Amino acid sequence: MSRERRSWTAKEDQLLREAVQKEDPDNANPSKWHAIAKHVPNRTNKDCRKRWFAKMASDVVKGGWSPEEDERLVKGIERYGTRWSLVASVVQTRNSDQCAKRWTDTLNPAIDRTTWTSDADELLLRAVAEHGKVWTKIVKTYFPGRTGLSAKNR
């Protein structure tokens, strides 16, 4: 049940700024998204959180990760597990979505990084023929431990 994507209006951006200031003032990493979303009609807590961190949080870095950011990410995971907004508050320069993606695609030590075999290549081609390019489903079903990104790149 996917919802239709709607662009944010200038009015909605303003309501979001005011809601963050009212509900979670002076917090560089707001976390009270359910309360914040109540001030922005027809937007969910997730909509508001994603908009805030993608477009409005001034200290969010885009692009490659520094070794220091990786180090803080690992510390955040050790402290909070996969509670991504809390992990992001430890990293400081990245949002929760960026932290989750970096961990699951790159840093998680549980990732299977073994060389792809010719048998695995054949299985991957059959899986794509059957399921399409649904990488997450393919790796969960046929290649547990590998990432969707590694299957896609292969």
Side-chain angles (χ1 to χ4, degrees):
M1 234 174 26
S2 70
R3 295 176 334 122
E4 184 185 330
R5 277 200 156 156
R6 284 187 303 119
S7 294
W8 279 71
T9 65
K11 176 75 177 150
E12 286 176 315
D13 282 345
Q14 187 56 39
L15 289 172
L16 178 57
R17 274 189 206 91
E18 291 166 5
V20 167
Q21 192 51 47
K22 180 177 184 176
E23 297 293 344
D24 216 349
D26 307 318
N27 186 350
N29 245 311
S31 58
K32 298 175 181 169
W33 294 111
H34 285 282
I36 291 166
K38 288 189 169 91
H39 301 279
V40 188
N42 304 313
R43 295 290 183 178
T44 66
N45 59 313
K46 186 177 178 182
D47 294 335
C48 292
R49 176 177 54 82
K50 284 187 169 255
R51 179 65 174 180
W52 182 262
F53 286 117
K55 296 283 184 260
M56 300 170 130
S58 56
D59 57 354
V60 172
V61 175
K62 292 188 168 44
W65 283 64
S66 72
E68 296 77 21
E69 287 176 312
D70 283 345
E71 208 172 289
R72 293 194 303 268
L73 176 61
V74 171
K75 281 196 174 91
I77 296 272
E78 287 167 359
R79 190 180 308 163
Y80 297 116
T82 55
R83 294 170 65 195
W84 297 117
S85 59
L86 295 174
V87 171
S89 71
V90 173
V91 176
Q92 293 181 321
T93 52
R94 302 289 179 155
N95 68 39
S96 55
D97 289 340
Q98 289 172 307
C99 290
K101 190 165 175 42
R102 180 70 172 168
W103 179 255
T104 56
D105 287 347
T106 309
L107 294 182
N108 186 341
I111 294 170
D112 176 359
R113 293 183 171 82
T114 57
T115 305
W116 287 80
T117 63
S118 56
D119 286 348
D121 283 343
E122 280 180 39
L123 180 57
L124 181 60
L125 289 170
R126 285 199 308 271
V128 172
E130 184 179 336
H131 301 285
K133 295 176 181 177
V134 190
W135 304 115
T136 305
K137 179 182 181 181
I138 288 171
V139 295
K140 275 193 174 127
T141 308
Y142 301 97
F143 305 100
R146 292 210 185 261
T147 66
L149 186 63
S150 75
K152 180 180 95 130
N153 289 346
R154 185 65 183 171

